[in-house]
Amino acid sequence: MVRSQHRNLTEMQPLVPHHEAQRDVTRFTLLQCRNTPENSTVDTAFTQREECMADQPRDLDSDSRTRGGPDREPTVGMPRWVKVFGVIAIVVVLVGVILHLAGGGLGGHHMSP
Amino acid sequence: MMMSSGVRKFALTAHVCSSVGWLGAVAGFLALAIAGLSSRDAQMVRAAYLAMDLTGWFVIVPLGLVSLLTGFIQALGTTWGLFRYYWVLVKLLISVVATLLLLVHMQPVSRVASMAAATTLSNADLRPLRIQLVADAAAALLALLVATTLSVYKPRGLTPYGWRKLREARAAAQS
């Protein structure tokens, strides 16, 4: 049993985070996941963890790593994709409003039956 | 409040089914809108707008509302949260705006359908409104495709609120 647990731990090594931020983040995620009891064996804990994290947040570590490293407080910043998305959304909304106003499309809402 | 694994999977299944169903129904709605606008066959035009009215009220609106509701449940019942991640927030905005616009634009659909049922629509009748229905359906389809893509890719990025919750969780874990 002990040997089996040791083997599983070794197999898990690539999945275990190495630096502090990743450990914190993993702990954060697992703490939120109530399906992982603290006294589980390695086998059951690993299985439950995988099951739990299948659709759980897992990009916190990436953000910590890219924004200042594990020992520093992560800086809060808006990702580039959000900015690009916001600009596109504003343009689409403006075009929609202009088309509605120019083409009289909104008149359809007030059209008499 | 965290959901148990079984409840979470059930809620996720309901959310995926309603969201993908919404997407597919809007694609069908777009096909009907194009057929209603471009067809020269009066029976086809009438059938298209009547089908759009039925599909809109009895398939698209319910699926949209269920998708929104199950999305709320998914967000609030898991660690994703509603305001922690930008992709969840963007998807929430898309769903809310799409649902509101859908409810607003269903009234013109019903009017065109009732007119199509009562008279034979010529190619010129209500043309701006019929073009608008095509544009609305295309815009809705695009918005839902974006929302689906966000769900699959889950691009990184925590909101300021998400960072605050993370720090709180770290502090609680260390104490």
Side-chain angles (χ1 to χ4, degrees), chain A residues 24 28 31-32 35 51 55-57 59-60 62-64 66 73-74 76 79 81-82 85 100 105 108-109 111, chain B residues 2 5 8-9 12 79-80 85-87 90 105 108 111 126 129 132 146 155-158 160 163 167 169 173:
Chain A
D24 281 349
F28 168 70
L31 280 171
Q32 305 288 321
N35 295 324
E51 186 181 326
D55 56 352
Q56 297 290 310
D59 59 341
L60 298 175
S62 314
D63 281 307
S64 310
T66 55
E73 193 65 22
V76 178
W81 74 264
V82 179
F85 198 92
H100 265 107
H109 297 294
M111 180 186 70
Chain B
M2 290 299 133
S5 176
R8 183 170 52 79
K9 282 181 180 172
L12 179 63
T79 50
W80 287 110
Y85 291 83
Y86 279 110
W87 76 265
V90 169
H105 286 100
R111 285 174 183 163
L126 303 174
L129 188 58
Q132 187 196 319
V146 170
R156 72 178 59 164
L158 278 167
W163 282 117
R167 280 194 290 267

Side-chain angles (χ1 to χ4, degrees), chain A residues 105-113, chain B residues 29 45-46 49-50 52-54 57 103-119 121 125-126 129-130 132-133:
Chain A
L106 279 173
H109 297 294
H110 310 293
M111 180 186 70
S112 57
Chain B
F29 193 85
V45 172
R46 175 175 291 165
Y49 288 117
L50 291 176
M52 280 174 72
D53 193 36
L54 274 175
W57 285 115
L103 291 173
V104 169
H105 286 100
M106 277 311 295
Q107 291 168 2
V109 173
S110 294
R111 285 174 183 163
V112 175
S114 61
M115 203 159 189
T119 60
L121 285 178
D125 286 337
L126 303 174
L129 188 58
R130 289 157 68 186
Q132 187 196 319
L133 291 182

Side-chain angles (χ1 to χ4, degrees), chain A residues 61-97:
Chain A
D61 52 339
S62 314
D63 281 307
S64 310
R65 197 165 51 241
T66 55
R67 296 180 188 280
D71 299 328
R72 295 170 61 184
E73 193 65 22
T75 51
V76 178
M78 192 179 285
R80 192 184 300 158
W81 74 264
V82 179
K83 293 174 186 168
V84 172
F85 198 92
V87 170
I88 293 172
I90 289 170
V91 170
V92 168
V93 168
L94 282 177
V95 168
V97 169

Side-chain angles (χ1 to χ4, degrees), chain A residues 37-57:
Chain A
E38 289 180 8
N39 57 351
S40 300
T41 63
V42 173
D43 286 338
T44 56
F46 179 68
T47 306
Q48 287 167 343
R49 182 182 307 175
E50 285 298 293
E51 186 181 326
C52 173
M53 293 183 74
D55 56 352
Q56 297 290 310

